[in-house]
Amino acid sequence: MGSSENIIEKFYEAFANLDAERMIEWYHTDVTFEDPAFGILKGAQARNMWRMLCETQKGQDFTVQASNIEFNDTRGKARWEAYYTFSKTGRRVHNIIHAEFEFKDGKIINHVDRFNLYRWAKQSMGFKGFLMGWTAFFRKKLNKKVRHYLSEFENKQHNEKTLIR
C-alpha cells in the first residue's frame, strides 16, 4: 500500500454510501473484526456483518462521518460517528466509535471498533439501557442477539444464491 492511498477514508466513504461490497474490497481475506456488540468476527463473517448493516440501513436515516484519520503502511486509526434510529425502539442514536486498523498486503487485516456500550444502550433502549447497559449480562445477551441476526442474514444470503443457480 502506498502511503498516498488512504484505505480508511475509502472504507468510510463506501460505508457512508452503504456500499458494503466496496467496503469489503478493502478487507483482507483473513480479516478479523471486533467491536463491543458483535465480539470477534473473522473472514466471511466480518464481511457479512457489513453487508447486513448496510442492507438494513438502506432507506433509513443513517449517516456516517469519519474524522481524525491517521495511517501509515502497517497501521491506521479513525474516529467515526454513526447517526441513526434504532429500529427496535425508534430511539435516535449518535454512536462515537474509535477504530484501529492493521494492514497486510495493502488491505485491512485487523479492524477493532471501540465505543461506550453503556452510552449506546442508554440511547438505543432508554431506561432499560440505563439500568442494564453496563452489565456483562447485557453485553453477552446483545452479542448473542446480533450474532443470531448475522447468522439469519447469512442463511438468507445462502438460500437466495442457491435459488438463483
Side-chain angles (χ1 to χ4, degrees):
M1 174 181 91
S3 58
S4 63
E5 185 167 47
N6 191 336
I7 287 175
I8 298 170
E9 195 171 278
K10 291 176 184 205
F11 181 84
Y12 288 114
E13 282 173 11
F15 193 19
N17 292 315
L18 297 174
D19 187 345
E21 296 310 312
R22 230 176 82 222
M23 290 174 74
I24 61 180
E25 282 176 12
W26 299 108
Y27 265 12
H28 191 281
T29 308
D30 299 322
V31 69
T32 298
F33 171 84
E34 180 180 357
D35 85 349
F38 284 91
I40 298 172
L41 301 174
K42 294 179 183 282
Q45 272 197 320
R47 290 186 290 279
N48 287 333
M49 184 260 318
W50 291 116
R51 287 180 175 117
M52 179 181 76
L53 290 177
C54 288
E55 184 178 295
T56 59
Q57 292 304 318
K58 284 186 175 156
Q60 305 299 317
D61 61 350
F62 178 83
T63 58
V64 167
Q65 296 171 341
S67 61
N68 302 339
I69 296 172
E70 297 176 24
F71 66 99
N72 60 35
D73 285 348
T74 59
R75 299 183 157 286
K77 63 182 180 178
R79 169 189 162 116
W80 64 279
E81 299 179 48
Y83 301 84
Y84 59 96
T85 300
F86 187 64
S87 61
K88 302 284 181 245
T89 60
R91 296 176 60 89
R92 285 294 293 162
V93 173
H94 171 208
N95 201 10
I96 301 167
I97 301 99
H98 298 278
E100 293 181 8
F101 302 89
E102 289 178 34
F103 307 120
K104 179 180 177 185
D105 304 328
K107 305 259 183 175
I108 299 166
I109 186 75
N110 194 21
H111 177 179
V112 178
D113 278 350
R114 291 188 173 88
F115 60 88
N116 184 323
L117 187 60
Y118 183 52
R119 182 179 184 272
W120 177 85
K122 291 188 295 183
Q123 288 182 62
S124 63
M125 298 175 189
F127 189 65
K128 183 178 172 185
F130 171 76
L131 290 177
M132 299 296 294
W134 60 273
T135 65
F137 170 80
F138 176 84
R139 181 185 295 257
K140 281 183 191 163
K141 189 171 178 181
L142 176 66
N143 196 264
K144 186 176 180 181
K145 189 172 278 193
V146 296
R147 282 176 169 267
H148 174 73
Y149 290 145
L150 179 57
S151 179
E152 283 184 337
F153 176 82
E154 289 176 322
N155 289 337
K156 182 179 167 225
Q157 297 295 102
H158 175 73
N159 291 339
E160 287 174 4
K161 284 179 185 170
T162 305
L163 288 173
I164 293 169
R165 289 187 190 149

